[in-house]
């Protein structure tokens, strides 16, 4: 990744442009363009080899005007405080665009789970929660899994919180495993949610999904279920890329006749890395990691990392591409975004496209509060309704005002959060 790229500057740039268009007053701009509260802390861990290693952790609470802060915790070796700030900010806009009563937050630990035993990961989770326990909680700030964290990490954190606070507080965290207070459908929620918005976009554009092809970046939680549902809808996914940590580079896997979701899942590890040798045996062609972006397809789905479509590579996108669905957070830089807008490529912006995860987390909270859990079909139906109406509201505004989809989504979110902050008398 470009070391000069700063996701928080990008999030602020996006905010400033919309604040100008909405004619927000100075106090509202100053308040919403930075997080309300930040925690930066150390997590000392006794490692399996007897040494002690000190990890750096962050929890950033961007805005809670509409409800408790909400957002995942990432484990990543290149994590930076500015990435976490940006992600916390985008969580605020994400919860607002799907109109759920939650604010925005995000957490991170600079670490590489590839090189950590389960015991060491547990120690990081418990250490993380020990520091922030007084500043999170079911009615304050509710973490969840994100890149390289999962339900097991969440249960360790919840357990530590319950030890500290005394009692049972399943609402302190979402993304818990089913049977431990988790919701059915959470695993599929972000990828499926992204595809509900793609389905709606194609309907509005008058394109039959069965006549489309798509290329995906990443084969983790988001991308896997996006590919699954896209295939069920009759679309043809032809390329997917992933990171190979052994080679320290990414690869693209291509099959012109269509990727087969189940066969790929069978040769993919828990980090979303596809086995190259087995893929070749199954007839996949392997190319450089950038090839996913240059495919002659109708739909591109960046679902790996931020800063993947930028000024240097945006012009390598094929003229055939009609739609980009941002499964990842912040995959397109503002410079590249301008080019895509000029090229009239239909954009489903990240904080709308990938809002299915947090919407299902909200459902997990609702079910946990009732102590009554819905069947998977009911969760997915409610998720589809929420994503479809959020998409339609953004699409209608974009059409009515003849503006870019990202601008329309931001206008809806920022207006809602500004309004809630004002009604509370904060600004
Ligand atoms: P994940 O860890 O499950 O998978 C990430 C995938 O990206 C893996 O297949 C990995 O190999 C691949 N990858 C990493 N670096 C790459 C590179 N340079 N080139 C190509 N592939 C690369 O993560 P995830 O949960 O699927 O999240 C992906 C993105 O979606 C992130 O931006 C995350 O913040 C965002 N997101 C996730 C959720 C969720 O519910 N999981 C919700 C909203 C947003």
């Amino acid at each position: 990744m470009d070391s000069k790229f700063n996701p928080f500057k990008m999030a602020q740039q996006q905010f400033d442009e919309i604040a100008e268009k909405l004619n927000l007053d100075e106090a509202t701009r100053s308040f919403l363009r930075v997080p309300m509260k930040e925690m930066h802390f150390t997590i000392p861990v006794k490692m399996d080899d007897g040494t002690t290693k000190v990890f750096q952790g962050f929890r950033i609470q961007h805005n809670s005007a509409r409800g408790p802060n909400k957002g995942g915790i990432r484990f990543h070796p290149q994590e930076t405080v500015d990435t976490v700030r940006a992600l916390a900010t985008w969580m605020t806009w994400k919860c607002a665009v799907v109109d759920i009563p939650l604010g925005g937050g995000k957490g991170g630990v600079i670490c590489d789970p590839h090189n950590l035993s389960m015991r060491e990961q547990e120690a990081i989770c418990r250490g993380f929660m020990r520091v922030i326990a007084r500043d999170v909680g079911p009615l304050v700030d509710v973490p969840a899994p994100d890149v390289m964290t999962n339900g097991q990490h969440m249960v360790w954190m919840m357990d530590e919180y319950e030890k500290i606070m005394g009692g049972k507080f399943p609402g302190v965290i979402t993304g818990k495993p089913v049977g431990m207070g988790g919701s059915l459908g959470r695993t599929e929620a972000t990828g499926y949610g992204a595809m509900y918005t793609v389905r709606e976009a194609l309907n509005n554009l008058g394109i039959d999904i069965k006549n489309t092809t798509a290329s995906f970046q990443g084969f983790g939680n988001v991308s896997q279920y996006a590919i699954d549902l896209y295939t069920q809808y009759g679309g043809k996914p032809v390329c997917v890329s992933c990171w190979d940590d052994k080679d320290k580079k990414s690869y693209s896997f291509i099959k012109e006749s269509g990727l087969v979701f189940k066969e790929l899942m069978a040769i993919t590890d828990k980090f979303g890395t596809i086995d190259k040798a087995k893929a070749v045996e199954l007839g996949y062609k392997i190319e450089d990691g950038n090839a996913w972006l240059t495919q002659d397809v109708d739909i591109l789905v960046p679902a790996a990392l931020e800063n993947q479509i930028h000024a240097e590579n945006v012009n390598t996108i094929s003229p055939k591409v009609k739609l980009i669905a941002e499964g990842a957070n912040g995959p397109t830089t503002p410079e590249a975004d301008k080019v895509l807008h000029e090229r009239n490529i239909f954009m489903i912006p990240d904080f709308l496209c990938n809002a299915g995860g947090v919407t299902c987390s909200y459902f997990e909270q609702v079910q946990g509060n009732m102590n009554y859990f819905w069947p998977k079909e009911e969760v997915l139906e409610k998720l589809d309704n929420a994503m479809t109406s959020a998409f339609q509201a953004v699409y209608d505004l974009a059409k009515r005002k003849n503006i870019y989809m990202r601008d329309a989504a931001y206008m809806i979110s920022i207006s809602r959060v500004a309004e809630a902050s004002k009604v509370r008398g904060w600004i």
Side-chain angles (χ1 to χ4, degrees):
M1 204 202 294
D2 176 0
S3 59
K4 291 198 298 298
F5 173 73
N6 183 324
F8 186 49
K9 286 217 161 60
M10 169 172 148
Q12 288 188 315
Q13 189 180 334
Q14 291 169 335
F15 170 77
D16 291 343
E17 280 174 23
I18 302 302
E20 192 60 34
K21 287 186 175 136
L22 288 171
N23 206 16
L24 292 185
D25 59 72
E26 270 320 303
T28 307
R29 291 184 198 206
S30 312
F31 183 60
L32 295 182
R33 77 192 299 280
V34 290
M36 290 175 66
K37 186 169 177 179
E38 297 196 351
M39 289 163 267
H40 302 199
F41 46 91
T42 49
I43 310 169
V45 169
K46 294 234 173 341
M47 306 299 281
D48 292 349
D49 65 5
T51 61
T52 298
K53 217 169 158 183
V54 180
F55 294 90
Q56 177 75 43
F58 311 101
R59 182 74 190 168
I60 311 267
Q61 297 166 341
H62 175 259
N63 189 284
S64 58
R66 289 173 44 89
N69 300 93
K70 185 86 195 80
I73 296 172
R74 300 157 64 117
F75 284 180
H76 201 279
Q78 271 96 45
E79 196 61 278
T80 68
V81 65
D82 274 337
T83 311
V84 184
R85 284 183 178 126
L87 291 161
T89 310
W90 287 324
M91 282 307 297
T92 303
W93 313 140
K94 193 179 298 190
C95 293
V97 82
V98 277
D99 209 6
I100 53 179
L102 295 167
K106 203 80 182 188
V109 179
I110 305 175
C111 70
D112 188 353
H114 290 96
N115 308 322
L116 294 167
S117 70
M118 290 306 274
R119 196 204 60 79
E120 289 165 340
Q121 292 183 45
E122 177 176 350
I124 293 178
C125 290
R126 291 186 184 277
F128 188 96
M129 186 49 91
R130 271 199 301 281
V131 184
I132 62 163
R134 303 277 161 199
D135 296 284
V136 296
L139 303 175
V140 181
D141 180 4
V142 184
D146 200 84
V147 174
M148 288 201 264
T149 55
N150 56 39
Q152 175 63 75
H153 298 103
M154 298 305 112
V155 172
W156 286 325
M157 288 191 193
M158 176 185 76
D159 187 66
E160 194 65 21
Y161 181 85
E162 292 180 341
K163 276 187 191 150
I164 294 165
M165 306 311 260
K168 296 292 170 197
F169 298 95
V172 68
I173 240 156
T174 61
K176 300 180 292 293
V178 173
M180 288 295 293
S183 174
L184 289 165
R186 175 64 186 89
T187 314
E188 295 88 346
T190 309
Y192 276 21
M195 271 310 131
Y196 298 146
T197 66
V198 167
R199 182 197 63 206
E200 292 306 307
L202 292 173
N203 276 343
N204 281 291
L205 295 170
I207 300 170
D208 184 350
I209 198 165
K210 293 194 176 70
N211 297 332
T212 63
T213 53
S215 175
F216 296 74
Q217 186 188 37
F219 195 58
N221 177 254
V222 179
S223 192
Q224 287 170 3
Y225 291 97
I227 290 175
D228 178 23
L229 190 59
Y230 178 63
T231 311
Q232 288 181 42
Y233 283 155
K236 196 208 281 187
V238 292
C239 178
V240 65
S241 73
C242 68
W243 178 255
D244 190 317
D245 206 62
K246 274 207 285 317
D247 299 356
K248 300 283 176 223
K249 70 186 291 272
S250 54
Y251 295 98
S252 300
F253 297 75
I254 300 168
K255 202 178 217 183
E256 299 297 341
S257 59
L259 311 176
V260 182
F261 170 67
K262 284 206 173 115
E263 74 181 16
L264 275 181
M265 286 296 276
I267 59 167
T268 299
D269 72 9
K270 63 177 179 177
F271 296 107
T273 301
I274 303 167
D275 186 311
K276 292 198 292 299
K278 290 184 181 147
V280 170
E281 278 172 29
L282 291 167
Y284 288 82
K285 198 166 72 182
I286 299 182
E287 287 189 11
D288 177 79
N290 299 322
W292 77 277
L293 187 67
T294 58
Q295 299 297 305
D296 273 328
V297 290
D298 303 291
I299 303 166
L300 290 177
V301 185
L305 296 171
E306 58 278 5
N307 187 30
Q308 296 304 298
I309 306 178
H310 44 72
E312 285 77 50
N313 67 9
V314 66
N315 287 317
T316 65
I317 292 178
S318 159
K320 190 167 189 263
V321 171
K322 298 174 189 67
L323 187 157
I324 295 184
E326 294 184 325
N329 289 309
T332 311
T333 66
E335 297 73 31
D337 207 30
K338 284 202 174 68
V339 177
L340 298 173
H341 189 186
E342 277 158 22
R343 281 179 57 176
N344 212 14
I345 294 178
F346 190 91
M347 171 62 71
I348 309 177
D350 49 3
F351 63 99
L352 170 64
C353 187
N354 67 34
V358 74
T359 305
C360 196
S361 285
Y362 165 63
F363 293 159
E364 179 176 330
Q365 286 184 309
V366 173
Q367 294 170 85
N369 289 341
M370 297 188 297
N371 206 7
Y372 171 73
F373 289 81
W374 307 324
K376 189 166 170 180
E377 298 68 37
E378 192 173 339
V379 175
L380 294 177
E381 193 188 321
K382 286 184 162 67
L383 182 66
D384 193 345
N385 289 341
M387 294 299 293
T388 300
S389 54
F391 176 89
Q392 208 53 49
V394 173
Y395 182 77
D396 289 347
L397 182 67
K399 210 138 191 230
R400 200 168 67 245
K401 295 203 169 232
N402 193 23
I403 54 176
Y404 195 42
M405 280 288 285
R406 193 187 308 279
D407 289 357
Y410 265 122
M411 281 183 173
I412 289 176
S413 296
I414 292 174
S415 305
R416 284 179 180 162
V417 179
E419 178 63 20
S421 304
K422 274 201 198 314
V423 172
R424 282 180 183 277
W426 288 355
I427 41 173

